[in-house]
Amino acid sequence: SSDLAGTASGVTYIPFVSSPSVDTFGMENLVLLSLGGAQKSILIVTPYFLPDTSMRKLMCQKVQSGVTVRVLVPNHYNDSRWVRYASQYYYDELLRCGVLISEYQPTFIHTKLLVVDGQWAVIGSANMDNRSRKLNDEIVLGISDREFASELTQVIEADEKRAQRISLQEWERRGIADRAVELIALLSVQQY
């Protein structure tokens, strides 16, 4: 990881590199610290949404403390159906605690970003999955800038208008076959 903050066009940013080396500050820690610092809102956009136990617990704690947590993921337009099914395994838990989940409808989205409180953004190569948290070499920028975060928020909100919000009531009506596929997918992509 880098200790040097940079400035470009008046925007303060921190380049952050993560790798499986034991000597690096893991991507998981950056994401958890970003989520943990939220006081008003958390916006997550990711093509591969496999939050681990600590991330799910923190997201739910944030909702319970009054923070709005919104997640935007792809729908069936996805380059990995099994990862999508595995991520859906967690919808029930997250919807029950108040996390808002939407699936983007028009096409596959490959955006990977996090916006916290309309002022801190994390954007780069990292997904919300085990590979990015612990296995892959990743690079992201942590950007502290209200104007930039506002622009990202506007993009996310425009995409949310083209997404389908998943309701808990709707999700509870899915069949036993769907639930079985989600569990099998989760077990098969544990290393993803």
Side-chain angles (χ1 to χ4, degrees), residues 81-82 85-86 176-188:
R81 285 185 303 159
W82 283 106
Y85 294 141
I176 189 82
D178 291 331
R179 295 168 193 255
V181 168
E182 291 162 13
L183 180 57
I184 292 166
L186 182 68
L187 296 173
S188 72

Side-chain angles (χ1 to χ4, degrees), residues 8-172:
S9 301
V11 174
T12 301
Y13 65 91
I14 300 171
F16 182 87
V17 178
S18 178
S19 77
S21 167
V22 295
D23 296 326
T24 61
F25 180 80
M27 190 64 61
E28 178 178 25
N29 293 329
L30 175 67
V31 171
L32 290 174
L33 284 171
S34 296
L35 296 177
Q39 296 180 346
K40 297 177 183 173
S41 64
I42 296 169
L43 304 177
I44 297 170
V45 182
T46 182
Y48 313 114
F49 184 58
L50 295 169
D52 65 6
T53 302
S54 57
M55 186 178 297
R56 294 192 315 273
K57 181 178 178 182
L58 184 53
M59 291 169 73
C60 288
Q61 287 173 344
K62 284 297 171 178
V63 170
Q64 291 164 1
S65 72
V67 174
T68 300
V69 180
R70 300 187 340 237
V71 178
L72 180 63
V73 294
N75 71 350
H76 63 276
Y77 293 114
N78 195 313
D79 65 347
S80 177
R81 285 185 303 159
W82 283 106
V83 172
R84 177 176 184 246
Y85 294 141
S87 83
Q88 288 178 328
Y89 179 84
Y90 298 118
Y91 282 15
D92 191 70
E93 174 186 352
L94 294 171
L95 290 169
R96 284 183 186 283
C97 76
V99 172
L100 304 174
I101 302 172
S102 298
E103 292 184 340
Y104 187 69
Q105 298 300 303
T107 187
F108 181 55
I109 55 171
H110 203 250
T111 305
K112 302 148 187 186
L113 64 87
L114 166 67
V115 179
V116 175
D117 291 342
Q119 62 185 19
W120 171 253
V122 177
I123 187 168
S125 66
N127 294 299
M128 297 277 177
D129 65 3
N130 285 335
R131 295 195 68 80
S132 288
R133 283 190 298 269
K134 298 176 181 176
L135 301 174
N136 288 351
D137 292 325
E138 302 288 359
I139 185 162
V140 300
L141 292 177
I143 301 170
S144 178
D145 185 80
R146 282 188 189 279
E147 185 176 339
F148 181 74
S150 175
E151 289 175 13
L152 288 179
T153 299
Q154 289 173 25
V155 169
I156 295 168
E157 288 174 348
D159 286 344
E160 284 177 323
K161 290 177 183 172
R162 302 173 74 193
Q164 178 181 348
R165 176 77 48 88
I166 307 298
S167 72
L168 179 58
Q169 295 76 21
E170 170 189 354
W171 198 247
E172 289 175 333

